């Protein structure tokens, strides 16, 4: 599940490669996701208690407290917890953004941004007869 999230996030970012698109709402609210995909960056931001770290903590706290609405996130939150990534309430992110971020995470986990071909890099495909 963790790998699916990270690869989907990478694929998601490809649609925002131009500078003009970097200011779009959905791109902006996805910024905390980079801490999930880069544990070294997460630890650094955590030690400095940065705004980005606080935004991610708010998101994870929101997700954990809304599992009845988003039950598919339970296993994902466990995989993050195993990596030391846990939610905590800081109150720096509006609830509307938290809900949109959570919906985006659900889309990633439901393979909406999954690229079947890039996930098979290094795998040998059998020829079709």
């Amino acid at each position: 599940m963790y790998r699916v999230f990270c690869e989907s996030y990478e694929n998601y970012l490809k649609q925002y490669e131009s500078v003009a698109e970097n200011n779009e709402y959905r791109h902006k609210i996805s910024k905390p996701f980079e801490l999930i995909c880069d544990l070294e960056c997460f630890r650094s931001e955590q030690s400095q208690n940065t705004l980005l770290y606080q935004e991610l903590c708010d998101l994870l706290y929101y997700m954990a407290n809304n599992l009845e609405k988003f039950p598919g996130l339970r296993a994902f939150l466990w995989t993050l917890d195993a990596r030391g990534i846990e939610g905590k309430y800081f109150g720096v992110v509006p609830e509307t953004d938290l809900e949109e971020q959570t919906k985006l995470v659900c889309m990633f986990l439901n393979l909406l941004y999954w690229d079947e071909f890039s996930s098979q890099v290094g795998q040998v495909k059998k020829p079709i007869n």
Side-chain angles (χ1 to χ4, degrees):
M1 209 170 230
Y2 179 77
R3 188 183 121 226
V4 167
F5 176 86
C6 292
E7 289 184 23
S8 294
Y9 177 58
E10 185 179 314
N11 292 333
Y12 175 78
L13 289 178
K14 289 177 184 174
Q15 68 185 347
Y16 296 104
E17 289 179 343
S18 80
V19 175
E21 293 169 331
N22 282 337
N23 288 323
E24 289 188 21
Y25 171 74
R26 291 184 67 100
H27 181 261
K28 286 181 185 179
I29 65 168
S30 72
K31 187 77 172 144
F33 298 169
E34 71 184 43
L35 299 184
I36 293 173
C37 298
D38 184 341
L39 295 177
E40 187 176 311
C41 186
F42 171 80
R43 305 255 184 270
S44 174
E45 298 285 320
Q46 181 184 37
S47 70
Q48 298 172 43
N49 196 31
T50 65
L51 179 60
L52 189 61
Y53 167 73
Q54 292 177 8
E55 290 171 348
L56 176 62
C57 286
D58 273 356
L59 172 61
L60 299 176
Y61 181 85
Y62 175 85
M63 289 172 23
N65 286 292
N66 286 281
L67 290 175
E68 69 286 344
K69 190 173 180 180
F70 305 101
L73 295 176
R74 186 177 311 276
F76 179 62
L77 290 173
W78 287 338
T79 65
L80 296 181
D81 187 52
R83 289 170 172 79
I85 301 174
E86 300 172 332
K88 181 178 178 182
Y89 182 74
F90 285 97
V92 297
V93 182
E95 189 168 339
T96 54
D97 289 357
L98 294 171
E99 181 148 355
E100 289 303 312
Q101 288 171 318
T102 302
K103 289 176 184 176
L104 195 52
V105 169
C106 289
M107 285 188 244
F108 290 175
L109 298 177
N110 289 328
L111 305 176
L112 195 64
Y113 291 93
W114 183 256
D115 184 349
E116 180 180 341
F117 298 106
S118 70
S119 66
Q120 294 178 0
V121 173
Q123 295 181 6
V124 178
K125 289 195 154 204
K126 295 180 181 177
I128 301 173
N129 293 333

